Amino acid sequence: MNSRNFNTEIKRCEELIASKSFKKADEAISDAIQINRDSPYAWYLKAKVCLGLFEYKKALMASKRAVDLNPKRQYVEFKENIENFMNLDVDDLKTEYPNKIDSIVLFTANKNIRLLSKRKLNPIVYNRLLDDIQADVTKNTVNEEEIYLKVKRLTESFIDLEFLADSNNDSSRKVAGAYGFKRAVIDSSLSKTLQIAAMIHELSHHLIFEIFKNTIMYVFQSQETDTIQAFAWYGLTKNVYWLLMNEYCAHTVECHYMKLKNYESFNNILKINGNLDKDKVKKAVELGNCLAMDIIYMLDKFFTPELVYEIKMQFLSDRVILLKKGCEFESEVELGSEEKFSMINSVLKETLINIKINFSYGELNQFKKIFADCRG
């Protein structure tokens, strides 16, 4: 085997895939496989090239060959994504558009990537979007209720709540709450003060999701569908920079009403993901801070100064003492409307492109099914 020629062809194929020159990439990877038929990575690239040429059966065969040679996680997940795509329901191939776009294949079409570049938000549309979400914020009308019940009622007006006692006795590793698919779980073993903080935090995650979902509905002029919800969820959770943006935003809202600084879970994501681009993290934090201000605008309808004072009294009642856990990327930058809308647009466009490049239709379809199940 001529390893030099093999590596040269592999490198050439990678560059051609990146430039979307799939026919030339096919020639390069075919030459590489002729030199070394036992390279799992070469077959993996062959599968990617076949996807670019819309030859799905050949892509599946190549991905299976890669797994047979080396069942590493990357190859297995890629093969499963292709299988999931080829097994999409017939209903997923319908082309209802633009009033109700619920086809994953159509949603990720190239024309929709171009549409994301053309149809951006503007201040009038965005403020109306925020007002529509804010309309669901229930006012505090039961004054005799304790603050814990008031916040619980607010949160339940948006998402399903479940309270479970965390059996983990290691207080340093406790997770106060978790959010996903319009549902949040709160650790009921914590003090009421910390549960209030957790509910505000998880509700903020949901409101970020609502902003992105409604933005997508505006761009594509579509009703809410499981596909649109799945895409919004994918964009906010699968890219580490947008995950950081999401987490920073939720922490900022929580800190605003709890009058504390605690960016612990944001810092944990940074620790887990080393060697991140600091400029990209900084931009993600700036967008997160900007969206936090929008969420605070919506929640201020509920959190009057009197209620914020009640939270302070709950702090004193529970005798909660928290260490301040800021972050090195903490930002008070207020983006201009145009820059904010461009960044939101970039998140959506980048997500759509990454789904196509990584052929993540299977995972997107799984999210779609979860949202369908949540709908009942």
Side-chain angles (χ1 to χ4, degrees):
M1 180 190 74
N2 188 330
S3 60
R4 183 177 180 182
N5 289 342
F6 174 77
N7 291 333
T8 299
E9 294 301 326
I10 289 292
K11 181 68 175 176
R12 188 162 74 94
C13 179
E14 291 173 335
E15 291 172 351
L16 290 167
I17 289 175
S19 65
K20 307 294 187 299
S21 302
F22 293 109
K23 287 186 178 181
K24 291 182 178 179
D26 192 36
E27 294 174 4
I29 198 60
S30 295
D31 290 343
I33 289 174
Q34 280 188 351
I35 297 169
N36 181 8
R37 297 188 63 83
D38 295 324
S39 166
Y41 184 65
W43 287 104
Y44 169 71
L45 289 181
K46 176 69 174 178
K48 280 199 164 187
V49 170
C50 289
L51 291 177
L53 295 171
F54 305 107
E55 297 174 345
Y56 302 123
K57 289 184 179 180
K58 288 183 179 180
L60 182 57
M61 290 174 62
S63 68
K64 286 181 177 178
R65 178 66 175 155
V67 171
D68 289 341
L69 290 168
N70 184 357
K72 66 184 289 188
R73 181 177 178 181
Q74 180 185 11
Y75 301 153
V76 172
E77 289 182 349
F78 191 65
K79 177 183 75 71
E80 290 175 349
N81 271 336
I82 297 174
E83 289 173 333
N84 284 329
F85 172 74
M86 295 179 71
N87 290 329
L88 287 174
D89 295 336
V90 175
D91 286 345
D92 232 8
L93 300 175
K94 289 182 179 178
T95 56
E96 295 177 5
Y97 188 79
N99 296 320
K100 190 175 182 182
I101 182 169
D102 202 17
S103 160
I104 289 176
V105 177
L106 179 62
F107 187 86
T108 54
N110 287 336
K111 67 177 183 179
N112 286 337
I113 296 178
R114 292 192 293 271
L115 187 60
L116 276 170
S117 298
K118 294 178 181 178
R119 191 175 177 83
K120 294 182 180 179
L121 293 165
N122 60 61
I124 294 175
V125 170
Y126 188 72
N127 288 335
R128 188 172 68 236
L129 182 154
L130 296 183
D131 289 340
D132 287 344
I133 299 172
Q134 188 191 48
D136 292 327
V137 176
T138 56
K139 290 184 178 180
N140 171 37
T141 55
V142 187
N143 291 326
E144 65 272 16
E145 278 187 336
E146 60 176 309
I147 185 62
Y148 172 83
L149 293 176
K150 290 174 183 175
V151 176
K152 179 174 179 288
R153 180 161 49 81
L154 166 70
T155 308
E156 287 179 329
S157 69
F158 284 94
I159 58 179
D160 293 330
L161 278 180
E162 184 175 0
F163 293 84
L164 297 173
D166 187 354
S167 59
N168 179 10
N169 294 320
D170 183 357
S171 60
S172 66
R173 298 181 60 190
K174 271 187 176 293
V175 177
Y179 168 79
F181 304 100
K182 299 183 177 180
R183 175 176 174 268
V185 177
I186 306 296
D187 182 3
S188 60
S189 66
L190 298 175
S191 68
K192 287 185 176 179
T193 296
L194 295 182
Q195 288 186 57
I196 289 170
M199 284 188 279
I200 294 173
H201 186 100
E202 306 313 331
L203 174 58
S204 298
H205 278 310
H206 175 73
L207 293 177
I208 300 167
F209 168 77
E210 285 290 313
I211 289 173
F212 275 81
K213 180 199 72 179
N214 287 343
T215 299
I216 298 164
M217 289 166 61
Y218 165 74
V219 169
F220 295 114
Q221 294 291 280
S222 172
Q223 301 172 30
E224 178 183 302
T225 65
D226 297 327
T227 293
I228 286 175
Q229 294 187 94
F231 178 73
W233 180 252
Y234 187 98
L236 290 169
T237 59
K238 302 307 293 184
N239 179 302
V240 65
Y241 296 105
W242 309 139
L243 182 62
L244 283 167
M245 177 274 291
N246 195 339
E247 203 61 51
Y248 185 88
C249 177
H251 273 305
T252 301
V253 177
E254 173 193 347
C255 293
H256 176 80
Y257 292 114
M258 302 303 293
K259 304 303 179 186
L260 55 83
K261 284 193 176 182
N262 176 21
Y263 288 85
E264 185 174 11
S265 56
F266 175 90
N267 292 333
N268 288 339
I269 296 173
L270 284 178
K271 289 178 184 177
I272 294 170
N273 298 275
N275 301 319
L276 292 178
D277 186 315
K278 289 193 174 183
D279 286 336
K280 287 185 177 180
V281 174
K282 181 174 175 288
K283 282 295 182 183
V285 165
E286 289 176 358
L287 179 58
N289 183 67
C290 198
L291 291 173
M293 297 304 104
D294 294 333
I295 291 173
I296 289 168
Y297 158 78
M298 290 188 283
L299 292 182
D300 272 350
K301 176 181 175 182
F302 177 87
F303 285 107
T304 61
E306 291 76 18
L307 259 66
V308 175
Y309 178 76
E310 288 183 42
I311 292 175
K312 180 180 178 180
M313 291 298 100
Q314 187 67 53
F315 253 110
L316 295 175
S317 175
D318 290 336
R319 297 182 179 180
V320 173
I321 299 176
L322 292 176
L323 296 176
K324 291 185 177 181
K325 298 176 182 177
C327 70
E328 63 173 301
F329 293 97
E330 194 168 336
S331 174
E332 295 183 359
V333 171
E334 294 186 14
L335 301 173
S337 295
E338 186 62 32
E339 188 175 3
K340 176 171 68 173
F341 300 150
S342 292
M343 288 185 72
I344 291 174
N345 181 270
S346 295
V347 174
L348 300 177
K349 188 174 180 179
E350 182 180 316
T351 300
L352 200 51
I353 291 171
N354 285 340
I355 287 171
K356 290 178 72 67
I357 291 175
N358 298 316
F359 212 70
S360 304
Y361 294 95
E363 193 165 15
L364 194 62
N365 195 44
Q366 289 173 1
F367 288 165
K368 177 180 177 179
K369 289 178 179 177
I370 293 172
F371 277 108
D373 290 341
C374 293
R375 188 164 36 83

